[in-house]
Amino acid sequence: MDLLTAKALLERGETTPLALLEEALERARAFQDRNALAHLDEEGAKEEAQRLTEELRQGYIRGPLHGIPLTVKDLFPVKGMPTRAGTRAPLPPLPEEAQAVRRLREAGALIFAKTNMHEVALGITGENPWTGPVRNALDASRQAGGSSSGSAVAVALGIGLASLGSDTGGSIRIPAAFNGVVGFKPSYGRVSLEGALPLSRSTDHAGPIAKTVRDAHFLTEILAGESIPLEGPQNPTFGVPLDFLEGRLGVEVRRAFQRLLEELPSLRAEVREVSLPLPGVYEVYTRLVRYEAARIHEKALREHPEGFSPQVREALMAGLALTEKDYRDAVAEREALRLQLVKALRGVDALLLPAQPLP
């Protein structure tokens, strides 16, 4: 069931917050092998669900998410729950609750669990030596993607109706794609990251993972605190950067993407080839993120390096070795790449690319 369907059932009195929570808990028990959850507050959630159910019975509505069970990625502090961000290293000081979580609560959401993630959000596979790998919702032998691994798997399996994730270099979009749900990375700064554990302050985004585009839009409006248009142009023009994709896609993904391109004209969408060379984009991204992440975790790196798994520690140490000049050069190169991207978007409504090159 998607979020807006559940909301309609609640409004018609055809279900209750307690019933929705019980269903989410049942799914969590049934799919424990996927390792989606970092922390589950079953007792506290049942008490809160009972309160929300009683309020609804009396006609009191806290907000547009009244009684909707949601999960939250374990780098957003949630009052009454631990925050570990998938690591054994000590974290920098964090508040009792992140602002985005407060927004959800104020809207009446029932936050009952925190989700597992790639360690400190520095990775895209969802494999974590400390907490164990999050396993794909559709096929437990495959990766879940990351870093918002548990959030995407939870949504795909019905462990809650949506989840709050974060995205620096694909961390919402990749696990959403791997698990067959909708991940949306809003514009930078649109959804507050105040109080959340950062990975890269200049690159981090917060956003929803949900079952449908309409659910993701609904949640984004609540998280951003503003009305956001849902409908796009009637006859959109998509830019496809074939030069950028050349040689990058696995056979299955390339075939699926080609089928999509062939179908778009029948949906009254135009497809136009655009140039998107973006030279050195990954290297620039890596320098920026590692430099910023290393400064966030610098104290723990120096005092408790064993708290980070070897792969994450190596990446953070590489960031620590970068100089301020290296960083400033990367910032300037990012601006040049941004201008190239703006140029590529001229005359098209959006760029269209596969989320990942391989299944």
Side-chain angles (χ1 to χ4, degrees):
M1 183 176 7
D2 63 79
L3 187 155
L4 288 174
T5 299
K7 177 176 162 61
L9 292 174
L10 283 170
E11 289 168 353
R12 294 199 300 265
E14 293 175 23
T15 190
T16 66
L18 191 57
L20 291 175
L21 174 67
E22 289 289 3
E23 186 176 341
L25 295 174
E26 187 180 322
R27 304 287 288 178
R29 286 189 286 270
F31 292 103
Q32 283 185 36
D33 66 314
R34 298 310 204 273
N35 194 33
L37 301 185
H39 179 80
L40 173 61
D41 180 17
E42 187 166 342
E43 189 177 328
K46 283 181 178 177
E47 291 173 5
E48 179 68 356
Q50 189 62 60
R51 279 191 291 272
L52 286 157
T53 297
E54 191 55 40
E55 287 170 5
L56 198 59
R57 195 173 286 127
Q58 293 171 6
Y60 174 69
I61 309 288
R62 294 187 194 179
L65 289 174
H66 187 104
I68 299 288
L70 303 179
T71 61
V72 170
K73 183 178 183 178
D74 192 27
L75 55 67
F76 293 93
V78 175
K79 186 177 179 182
M81 298 187 191
T83 300
R84 289 301 325 135
T87 189
R88 290 182 181 174
L91 300 177
L94 296 169
E96 188 175 49
E97 192 154 270
Q99 185 173 320
V101 176
R102 282 203 303 275
R103 278 257 165 92
L104 295 173
R105 277 201 200 278
E106 287 163 5
L110 172 56
I111 297 169
F112 69 97
K114 300 188 80 178
T115 57
N116 273 323
M117 54 181 280
H118 204 108
E119 186 178 4
V120 300
L122 190 56
I124 60 169
T125 67
E127 295 171 316
N128 187 325
W130 298 144
T131 59
V134 179
R135 301 186 183 280
N136 193 286
L138 308 173
D139 180 348
S141 71
R142 290 183 180 262
Q143 287 180 345
S147 64
S148 307
S149 329
S151 289
V153 172
V155 172
L157 294 175
I159 304 170
L161 293 167
S163 192
L164 174 64
S166 69
D167 191 315
T168 305
S171 286
I172 285 174
R173 294 159 291 156
I174 292 166
F178 276 6
N179 292 281
V181 292
V182 174
F184 180 56
K185 174 190 174 184
S187 304
Y188 180 76
R190 178 162 251 170
V191 176
S192 174
L193 278 161
E194 183 186 330
L197 175 72
L199 174 64
S200 167
R201 292 184 195 278
S202 74
T203 317
D204 292 345
H205 301 63
I209 295 177
K211 278 279 181 72
T212 69
V213 171
R214 289 185 182 277
D215 283 358
H217 170 258
F218 181 68
L219 282 166
T220 302
E221 287 195 317
I222 292 167
L223 288 163
E226 61 179 317
S227 178
I228 300 165
L230 174 61
E231 304 301 336
Q234 288 297 309
N235 301 293
T237 300
F238 292 113
V240 179
L242 294 178
D243 59 347
F244 181 77
L245 295 175
E246 183 66 35
R248 291 176 184 262
L249 305 182
V251 173
E252 293 169 276
V253 173
R254 189 173 70 247
R255 285 177 181 158
F257 189 56
Q258 189 60 46
R259 282 198 301 273
L260 172 67
L261 297 182
E262 289 166 1
E263 289 168 6
L264 283 174
S266 67
L267 302 173
R268 292 180 299 180
E270 182 186 342
V271 179
R272 184 182 301 171
E273 186 176 348
V274 296
S275 180
L276 192 67
L278 297 186
V281 63
Y282 183 74
E283 192 274 332
V284 171
Y285 166 82
T286 301
R287 258 189 295 156
L288 284 166
V289 170
R290 286 184 175 183
Y291 180 93
E292 293 183 4
R295 270 74 200 166
I296 289 158
H297 296 285
E298 185 168 3
K299 188 170 187 288
L301 274 172
R302 298 197 188 284
E303 295 177 5
H304 299 282
E306 74 288 346
F308 297 101
S309 63
Q311 195 170 8
V312 168
R313 183 170 63 243
E314 183 182 338
L316 290 172
M317 293 303 290
L320 211 53
L322 293 169
T323 65
E324 189 175 342
K325 182 183 183 305
D326 294 329
Y327 177 68
R328 288 186 176 182
D329 287 348
V331 170
E333 289 168 52
R334 173 167 62 187
E335 179 60 14
L337 289 163
R338 188 185 70 80
L339 293 173
Q340 285 188 40
L341 186 59
V342 169
K343 186 178 177 182
L345 281 162
R346 284 180 191 154
V348 300
D349 296 299
L351 295 179
L352 188 65
L353 302 92
Q356 277 283 274
L358 298 168

